[in-house]
Amino acid sequence: MVSPFVMLLVALLLAFAISEVLKRTLGIPRVIGQVGAGIILGITFFKSFLFSQENLDVLSFLANFGVILLFYYVGLETNFSIFKKNARRSLSISLVNTTLPLVLGFVVMKYVFEFNAIVSLIIGVALSVSAVAISAGMLEELGLAKSKLGSAIISAGTVDDLVELILISILLSFFQVAITDIPPNYMVLGLLLFVASVVVARIWFIPYTIRFFDREKSSTARFTGSLLIVLLIASLSELLGMGFIIGAMVAGMIVRQTIFKDVHIPDWEEHDIAKSIHIVAFGFLIPLFFIWVGLNTDIGSLGSNLFFVVILIFISLLGTVGGTTAAVLLNKGSLREGMIIGWGLTPKGDVELGIATLALKAGIITPAIFAALVVMSMFTTFISPLMFKYLVSTSKRKIA
């Protein structure tokens, strides 16, 4: 049996190789290659060679840490000022393309497949969220990041993040009740204590910590201070029954707001903190999280659940592309513009897999449901760049 270091070397090397091939040949987001590497490593021959219980524990720990930094980064990149630009249009697009797949998913799961309410809600939320980072990557690749179309997609995607933040917070509260059987009054008390703690942190602790670690004007020091903040608030959130994910997201949003309003660190230094988190998270920990997702995806269960997977994909595409198109038409846009923005917002692969992973570890969803959600995520992330590029290429004159 190999050491944890060799296991990490093989896993990251395979994930990088597959991701690069897919990215360079087909323009497919790297998350597909990372999850695919995990699926390959889950084959009995490789799994028995690479993954002792010790190695699995190491990978699981690093994957969990990756989830914390993923949601912390989402918080850091959540810009509330986006409401000032095209607020009505972006909000209407976001509400429709988030609500439609959420409601459709919940209703179909509960009344057709007869899952309980919490499982139906988890699936509904997983179908409704989008990976804005992947969308931004597609726009950068095509040179459309600063175009009117690119601004519309990023604007709607950012508002999507805010809507999703509310949905995920509600969902994680249900998680805690389902997992720990916490009485509702204790849950409310924990929420109030967490809110009070966040207020104190926002007024005193976080501004003081950022100033303290910014004295040297060092990227390393800022990263250390930022990491201490997210770990403290995530731990506090977990202790009070809110779950560490809520704490991580809230920490990111507070750090961003503190830097802009109180500490007055120049923009490049604010982005320096986000970049440091991005490098460590997306360069090391989050790929390991996606490898863990693939490793725990039971592909064999899909044969008997193929219809279920198809339904998930259909609801996801109908809700996101159809919902976005309808919202754009209501805002006096064109059908083609609506479809382009819809496909631009279709990719999944980060937040929804984080939610599915938490649900799987908590025993709320089965491995078969988890596998179906992973395949749905991979399919939508695979096809959306292809459709997006095709629609953009056939509309080049109008977009330019």
Side-chain angles (χ1 to χ4, degrees), residues 50 52 86 95 116 134 193 198 215 363 378 399:
L50 283 174
S52 63
N86 302 318
L95 287 176
N116 62 38
I134 296 175
L193 288 174
V198 166
R215 291 180 306 170
M378 291 181 69
I399 292 173

Side-chain angles (χ1 to χ4, degrees), residues 19-37:
S19 299
E20 281 298 298
V21 170
L22 291 177
K23 183 70 176 177
R24 292 178 183 277
T25 57
L26 299 174
I28 301 301
R30 288 183 172 84
V31 61
I32 298 294
Q34 293 162 358
V35 175

Side-chain angles (χ1 to χ4, degrees), residues 201-217 222 225 229 253-267 269-270 273:
R202 172 66 181 86
I203 294 173
W204 175 75
F205 174 73
I206 291 181
Y208 174 81
T209 301
I210 292 176
R211 288 191 187 98
F212 180 82
F213 283 95
D214 189 52
R215 291 180 306 170
E216 300 177 10
K217 305 301 178 184
R222 292 190 199 103
I229 289 170
M253 289 187 291
I254 295 177
V255 167
R256 180 188 180 93
Q257 291 297 310
T258 300
I259 289 171
F260 273 105
K261 292 188 177 181
D262 295 337
V263 181
H264 304 301
I265 297 176
D267 275 359
E269 294 182 351
E270 179 269 332
I273 292 176

Side-chain angles (χ1 to χ4, degrees), residues 324-384:
T324 301
T325 302
V328 170
L329 289 173
L330 289 174
N331 281 275
K332 299 180 180 180
S334 68
L335 176 63
R336 182 170 288 273
E337 180 190 10
M339 292 186 67
I340 292 175
I341 295 175
W343 282 109
L345 292 171
T346 294
K348 304 188 183 299
D350 46 26
V351 175
E352 65 283 345
L353 289 181
I355 294 169
T357 298
L358 293 175
L360 177 67
K361 287 186 174 182
I364 298 176
I365 63 174
T366 65
I369 294 175
F370 179 76
L373 289 173
V374 171
V375 172
M376 177 275 299
S377 175
M378 291 181 69
F379 181 84
T380 55
T381 304
F382 181 89
I383 193 174
S384 56

Side-chain angles (χ1 to χ4, degrees), residues 176-216:
Q176 294 301 312
V177 173
I179 296 169
T180 60
D181 294 324
I182 298 176
N185 55 332
Y186 283 13
M187 194 73 183
V188 172
L189 178 61
L191 175 61
L192 293 176
L193 288 174
F194 178 67
V195 171
S197 302
V198 166
V199 171
V200 172
R202 172 66 181 86
I203 294 173
W204 175 75
F205 174 73
I206 291 181
Y208 174 81
T209 301
I210 292 176
R211 288 191 187 98
F212 180 82
F213 283 95
D214 189 52
R215 291 180 306 170
E216 300 177 10

Side-chain angles (χ1 to χ4, degrees), residues 312-323 343 346 379-380 383:
L312 291 182
I313 293 172
F314 176 76
I315 293 174
S316 176
L317 295 180
L318 175 65
T320 304
V321 180
W343 282 109
T346 294
F379 181 84
T380 55
I383 193 174

